[in-house]
Amino acid sequence: MHRRIGPFLVFSALALGACGPSGTPSLETEDQKASYGIGHQMGGQLAPAESHIDMDAFFAGIRDGIAGNDPAIDQAEIQTALQSLTETVNTEEAERRAADGAANAAAGEAFLAENAAKPGVVVTESGLQYEILRDGEGASPTPEDQVTIHYKGTLIDGTQFDSSYDRGEPATFGVTGVIPGFGEGLQLMTVGSQYRFVIPSEIGYGPGGSGGVIGPNATLIFEVELLEIVQ
C-alpha cells in the first residue's frame, strides 16, 4: 500500500536523515542501531517517491544538512521542487488506487457470482453471502448486543489480513461496531454456530479500503464462530 507524502515530510527526511552506503553495516552500538532506525523510517516514508529520487543528489543533501552547509541551490527552488514532487506522487497514488479499485471490483463481482451459485450459500438483500458451516442452538444477537467471537478474515485470493485464532484469544465488540456486512451476518447467527461470510465491498470497507492489505473495493471473506452474547 502506497502512502501520501507532503512537502514537510520530504524536507524533514532530507534535512534530518542519516544514511550510510549500501551493504550490511555493523549494528552493534546504540548509535548504529539508532542510525539504522532513522534510515529505515526514512525509507518507508519516502517509498512512494522512490522512482523520482536521485540517490546521488539525495545523499549530497544529507551530507550538507548534517555538516550544516548552506544548500547547494536556493531554498525557493527547493520548495518549488518539493511541491512539484508531492503533487506528482499524490497524482500517481490516486491513479494506482483507481486502477486497484477497478481490478478489485471486477474480481469481486466475478467471485460473488460464482460463490452465490454454490449449494448452501444464501444471498441477503444487501448482497451479503453466508453459508452455515456449523449450526448452533443459542440465541441470536441484536444490534444492541456485544458478542465474543473467533474469526479469520481473508481476501478472495486467500491472503489473510486478520485472525483471532492467530492471536490466541477471541474478540469481543459491539454488533454495530464493525463493517455493515459483518454486523448483518452476526445477527443471522446463533450462539455456538460457525458461518462463512462473503462481504461485497459496498457493505465492507468500500473504495477507501483499510490498512495495507485490504485495498479499495475489496471483497472480503470471514469465517466466524459466535461464542457468546455478552450480558
Side-chain angles (χ1 to χ4, degrees), residues 16-182:
L16 299 178
C19 257
S22 60
T24 304
S26 175
L27 299 175
E28 297 178 359
T29 71
E30 291 303 304
D31 284 348
Q32 289 169 336
K33 294 174 183 177
S35 298
Y36 177 81
I38 293 170
H40 192 275
Q41 289 179 4
M42 282 178 56
Q45 291 169 337
L46 295 175
E50 177 187 8
S51 63
H52 299 284
I53 294 178
D54 182 291
M55 297 306 293
D56 290 337
F58 178 79
F59 286 121
I62 287 181
R63 287 192 295 270
D64 284 345
I66 291 175
N69 298 333
D70 290 335
I73 54 177
D74 186 76
Q75 284 287 1
E77 290 184 79
I78 292 176
Q79 291 301 325
T80 298
L82 291 175
Q83 181 63 40
S84 176
L85 174 61
T86 299
E87 293 173 357
T88 298
V89 171
N90 288 344
T91 297
E92 291 174 349
E93 169 68 5
E95 291 172 349
R96 278 191 292 264
R97 287 190 63 81
D100 289 347
N104 288 341
E109 184 177 350
F111 184 89
L112 287 162
E114 181 180 355
N115 190 68
K118 293 180 178 179
V121 173
V122 180
V123 183
T124 71
E125 185 176 350
S126 71
L128 171 70
Q129 299 184 2
Y130 71 90
E131 179 182 1
I132 301 174
L133 305 180
R134 183 182 71 242
D135 218 341
E137 298 180 353
S140 295
T142 69
E144 292 74 30
D145 286 327
Q146 285 201 333
V147 294
T148 298
I149 67 171
H150 258 314
Y151 69 96
K152 178 179 73 172
T154 63
L155 305 179
I156 59 175
D157 66 0
T159 300
Q160 180 177 296
F161 57 82
D162 197 6
S163 172
S164 65
Y165 298 103
D166 289 354
R167 291 192 294 273
E169 60 180 359
T172 299
F173 46 74
V175 171
T176 57
V178 291
I179 54 176
F182 199 98

Side-chain angles (χ1 to χ4, degrees), residues 163-202:
S163 172
S164 65
Y165 298 103
D166 289 354
R167 291 192 294 273
E169 60 180 359
T172 299
F173 46 74
V175 171
T176 57
V178 291
I179 54 176
F182 199 98
E184 177 186 351
L186 287 174
Q187 294 174 71
L188 299 172
M189 302 180 71
T190 55
V191 173
S193 65
Q194 181 178 12
Y195 278 37
R196 180 176 184 261
F197 303 146
V198 179
I199 301 178
S201 170
E202 292 79 7

